Amino acid sequence: MQFLINELSFIGQAANDYETDELMKNIFEIIKQISVIQNGDPIQTHSSFACKKLSANLTVHEWILTTIKSKKSEQQKIAMILMILLSKGPFIDLQDLLNDCKCNYQKQDVSSSSLAGAVKLQGILISLQNNPDFIQENIEIEFQEGTSSLENRSIKNLTEIKHAKKICPRYQLHSKHDPSGYWKNATPMNLTNEEAQKVLNCSVGNSNKN
């Protein structure tokens, strides 16, 4: 399943260092939650992501350089994840995926953004909290590819942990498949709970590609 960090959601909304760290911690928690259904697909973003503002005086790149030396393990982890993303990509605007696409959001042209990439790849956005333009769990975008007509498309937009949990179902053993039970019109589960969860995770990720 394709996930894209929404660079347009980073507008310097943090008022201080504490708020900056809390916003980035939330991004980290979302990434942890969805990691089980990525199925090997790397998180993508836009090549301008590094210079986007977290606060009035701090860019994403500056926060990473400062935080990577932090003694707080969670902050270090998200800084390292973002450092890898910024150094290796993939960047949605540098792959020739959007050359033939037109995308508008709130009457603004966002044709080379992660929003357009999310539509093209049938992916899901991860947005920074406290941006009034990206508070909805589903956002509506106008999208056109090639000579096709301009269409309204809906993109799932994760800004809270609860949004991520909705797309990461948890396996629960049904009583009719209980290995210790008696079956008349059912069969016992021949997988452990952990194995069944992995199968479920893969099915969620692969469903996005069908």
Side-chain angles (χ1 to χ4, degrees), residues 44-58:
Q44 303 193 46
T45 190
H46 192 273
S47 60
S48 67
F49 178 57
C51 63
K52 293 298 180 180
K53 292 280 191 178
L54 281 167
S55 63
N57 301 311
L58 193 67

Side-chain angles (χ1 to χ4, degrees), residues 156-178:
K156 190 167 291 294
N157 178 48
L158 310 180
T159 60
E160 299 183 36
I161 304 302
K162 65 180 181 181
H163 298 159
K165 288 182 177 179
K166 286 182 182 180
I167 62 172
C168 298
R170 292 291 178 259
Y171 169 74
Q172 290 184 322
L173 177 66
H174 194 285
S175 58
K176 71 179 183 180
H177 297 300
D178 190 334

Side-chain angles (χ1 to χ4, degrees), residues 22-46:
E22 287 299 299
L23 288 174
M24 295 305 282
K25 179 181 178 182
N26 184 69
I27 290 283
F28 176 56
E29 292 297 329
I30 291 174
I31 290 174
K32 280 202 305 183
Q33 187 69 37
I34 57 93
S35 63
V36 295
I37 58 172
Q38 283 182 249
N39 289 349
D41 293 323
I43 294 175
Q44 303 193 46
T45 190
H46 192 273

Side-chain angles (χ1 to χ4, degrees), residues 68-117:
I68 205 106
K69 303 173 184 177
S70 172
K71 295 180 180 179
K72 298 179 180 179
S73 60
E74 281 198 346
Q75 290 182 4
Q76 277 189 329
K77 287 178 182 177
I78 182 59
M80 291 175 67
I81 290 172
L82 294 180
M83 178 65 80
I84 293 171
L85 176 60
L86 292 182
S87 60
K88 296 184 178 180
F91 300 112
I92 194 65
D93 55 317
L94 302 181
Q95 301 176 57
D96 297 328
L97 286 173
L98 305 175
N99 291 348
D100 203 24
C101 299
K102 181 178 181 181
C103 187
N104 298 320
Y105 180 60
Q106 296 184 345
K107 299 182 179 180
Q108 299 292 320
D109 185 355
V110 292
S111 298
S112 66
S113 71
S114 292
L115 276 72

